[in-house]
């Protein structure tokens, strides 16, 4: 059955409506969007996407389905229970998207270019902490919210090629 899971007040986001685990069959009410800088190298695209999705799943654990099991009974880790749409954006569009997220109290996962030069989370957070939002050199951003809100936020972004 459907249930509401209120995300921690730390994130101050909407209540998210999801089906749980094996019941995830209907069209999701929410949408996950990843926005990437199209000039990234292939390894960077994969790296940034992985980090961003980890933030989305941490904020929204109900997005995770049930474990997979093969015919021999081997267990595999669960995956997201809904698709992820991937878009591209230039620097100006990243800032516009970030401002729209802030205005709607949606807290995105972000990846700043300087994070490629670090090797730990503390240094990554300091790269973000040391600049204003409008000055972040973003190469990736991910968000999850109501489908209509996400569509309005990413309007004008092309699908990533």
């Amino acid at each position: 059955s459907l249930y509401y899971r209120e995300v921690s007040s730390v994130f101050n986001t909407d209540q998210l409506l999801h089906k749980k685990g094996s019941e995830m069959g209907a069209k999701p009410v929410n949408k996950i969007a990843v926005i990437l800088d199209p000039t990234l190298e292939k390894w960077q695209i994969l790296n940034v996407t992985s980090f961003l999705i980890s933030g989305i799943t941490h904020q929204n654990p109900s997005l995770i389905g049930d474990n997979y099991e093969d015919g021999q009974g081997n267990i595999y880790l669960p995956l997201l229970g809904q698709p992820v749409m991937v878009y591209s954006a230039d620097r100006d569009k990243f800032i516009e998207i970030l401002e729209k997220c802030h205005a709607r109290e949606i807290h995105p996962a972000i990846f700043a270019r300087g994070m490629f030069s670090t090797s730990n989370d503390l240094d990554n957070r300091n790269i973000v902490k040391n600049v204003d939002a409008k000055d972040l050199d973003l190469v990736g951003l991910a968000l999850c919210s109501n489908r209509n809100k996400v569509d309005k936020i990413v309007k004008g972004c092309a699908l990533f090629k």
Side-chain angles (χ1 to χ4, degrees), residues 11-55:
F11 295 105
N12 196 21
T13 58
D14 302 320
Q15 286 186 329
L16 302 176
L17 176 65
H18 300 287
K19 285 192 172 184
K20 177 89 170 134
S22 60
E23 299 173 13
M24 287 184 181
K27 184 175 181 178
V29 173
N30 293 303
K31 184 173 192 175
I32 300 169
V34 173
I35 302 95
L36 299 170
D37 177 339
T39 66
L40 293 175
E41 295 181 32
K42 287 182 182 179
W43 73 267
Q44 292 173 316
I45 292 167
L46 298 170
N47 184 269
V48 170
T49 302
S50 298
F51 276 103
L52 293 173
I53 290 299
S54 73

Side-chain angles (χ1 to χ4, degrees), residues 43-44 111-120 123-124 127:
W43 73 267
Q44 292 173 316
F111 197 103
R113 189 175 309 276
M115 293 164 68
F116 287 123
S117 65
T118 69
S119 60
N120 64 77
D123 290 339
N124 287 345
I127 284 172

Side-chain angles (χ1 to χ4, degrees), residues 103-141:
R104 290 166 174 83
E105 296 185 350
I106 295 171
H107 301 274
I110 62 169
F111 197 103
R113 189 175 309 276
M115 293 164 68
F116 287 123
S117 65
T118 69
S119 60
N120 64 77
D121 192 47
L122 178 61
D123 290 339
N124 287 345
R125 287 194 313 270
N126 284 332
I127 284 172
V128 174
K129 182 81 172 166
N130 291 327
V131 296
D132 292 338
K134 65 179 176 36
D135 296 323
L136 286 168
D137 187 10
L138 296 178
V139 296
L141 182 149

Side-chain angles (χ1 to χ4, degrees), residues 2-6 15-18:
L2 293 176
Y3 73 99
Y4 284 94
R5 181 181 184 285
E6 189 169 354
Q15 286 186 329
L16 302 176
L17 176 65
H18 300 287

Side-chain angles (χ1 to χ4, degrees), residues 56-68:
I56 295 297
T57 56
H58 174 78
Q59 181 179 350
N60 305 287
S62 64
L63 293 172
I64 302 296
D66 292 332
N67 285 337
Y68 288 77

